[in-house]
Amino acid sequence: MAKKVILTIDDEEHILDLLEYNLEKGGYEVLRAETGEKGLAIMKTMQVDLVLLDYMLPGIDGIEVLKTMRSDPALTAMPVIMLTAKGEEIDKVLGLEMGADDYLSKPFGIRELLARVKALLRRSSLEKIESQPEDKILVGDLMINNTAREVTVDGNPITLSLKEFELLYLLASHRNRVFTREQLLELIWGYEYSGETRTVDVHVRNLRKKIEKDPDHPQYIQTVRGMGYKFV
């Protein structure tokens, strides 16, 4: 799986060094810019998954960079965490109003930074997943009607629980995409769901019994070893 790319924009070299070292240690690819202008140029020419943006920058400051991003259709949805040493409440409010997704005051702990980056990347990924609905899905002898909440196999209606239907619809509407068990828990059962990932396995097993000709050799819902499940 390709590494997520983090762009760090800060005019303090020791901060860029600190961020680069710890983010790379955390498994990310890191790009760096000392000015807002350079940061915007990188965003427009390279793949970037998240931006760590300093509030105070020479030339155009962090707020102006954020305004430019949010007015550009290609950059408007890019996740941004703002960094600042100022700490006043008004700065935080202004940054969030301009479209920052999160805010971190200097000095910050590396563990907290990595946790915020991970959470925001996950949220961004889930939002992309949820924004691709399909009304009717027909694959082989399987038909899923989201509006009517109906599933048929060879024209025969199949009775599914609410969670079984939601799980099947999510997988089928993103064919060949691998979902981890944690992602499925968050999307189907919600962020506050306290159950273990075994819940996902049980529901997948039940689904296979209902929609697969041979549940032991599934045609539709396949296990991706060490990761999760995908619909093919």
Side-chain angles (χ1 to χ4, degrees):
M1 187 176 294
K3 290 183 178 180
K4 294 291 186 179
V5 180
I6 312 296
L7 171 61
T8 60
I9 307 177
D10 200 298
D11 63 328
E12 297 181 72
E13 188 172 350
H14 74 280
I15 294 292
L16 290 174
D17 290 340
L18 176 72
L19 291 171
E20 183 174 19
Y21 173 78
N22 287 282
L23 288 167
E24 287 184 345
K25 192 176 178 182
Y28 301 104
E29 182 179 338
V30 181
L31 304 174
R32 49 194 286 172
E34 300 79 24
T35 65
E37 292 89 343
K38 184 178 177 181
L40 286 169
I42 290 174
M43 287 180 232
K44 292 177 181 179
T45 57
M46 302 182 71
Q47 170 63 36
V48 175
D49 296 296
L50 182 145
V51 178
L52 293 173
L53 176 62
D54 188 36
Y55 187 93
M56 298 295 291
L57 291 169
I60 61 172
D61 63 19
I63 290 297
E64 288 302 316
V65 172
L66 196 55
K67 285 182 181 178
T68 302
M69 291 177 65
R70 294 312 183 224
S71 63
D72 185 334
L75 304 176
T76 187
M78 188 175 293
V80 175
I81 298 177
M82 291 207 74
L83 308 175
T84 183
K86 297 180 72 175
E88 286 97 343
E89 185 67 23
I90 185 63
D91 296 329
K92 179 176 180 179
V93 171
L94 182 58
L96 294 174
E97 285 181 347
M98 289 297 103
D101 298 279
D102 204 350
Y103 207 90
L104 205 55
S105 297
K106 300 176 184 177
F108 48 79
I110 293 300
R111 284 188 179 180
E112 182 179 7
L113 172 70
L114 292 174
R116 299 268 189 109
V117 166
K118 183 178 179 181
L120 186 51
L121 284 171
R122 184 179 65 231
R123 193 177 85 200
S124 176
S125 176
L126 295 179
E127 286 173 352
K128 289 178 183 177
I129 290 170
E130 291 174 323
S131 67
Q132 302 174 34
E134 248 182 294
D135 185 35
K136 287 186 179 180
I137 299 171
L138 180 61
V139 183
D141 60 3
L142 176 66
M143 192 279 291
I144 306 168
N145 186 323
N146 186 44
T147 303
R149 293 274 164 160
E150 293 176 347
V151 176
T152 62
V153 176
D154 274 336
N156 299 311
I158 304 298
T159 302
L160 300 180
S161 70
L162 175 61
K163 295 304 181 187
E164 286 172 351
F165 180 89
E166 290 178 347
L167 179 58
L168 175 62
Y169 176 73
L170 175 65
L171 291 170
S173 59
H174 298 86
R175 292 179 279 288
N176 295 311
R177 176 167 187 153
V178 179
F179 288 86
T180 66
R181 291 168 175 83
E182 290 77 14
Q183 284 180 319
L184 293 172
L185 274 175
E186 290 178 2
L187 287 164
I188 304 302
W189 284 268
Y191 286 99
E192 302 304 319
Y193 185 76
S194 59
E196 298 179 355
T197 53
R198 176 173 167 75
T199 299
V200 175
D201 298 330
V202 171
H203 278 72
V204 167
R205 186 165 63 245
N206 291 340
L207 273 174
R208 283 172 171 166
K209 289 178 181 177
K210 294 179 178 181
I211 69 171
E212 302 279 4
K213 285 184 169 64
D214 183 357
D216 293 328
H217 299 88
Q219 173 186 356
Y220 297 121
I221 303 176
Q222 296 191 358
T223 302
V224 180
R225 190 176 297 276
M227 295 186 66
Y229 298 101
K230 68 177 180 178
F231 189 100
V232 298

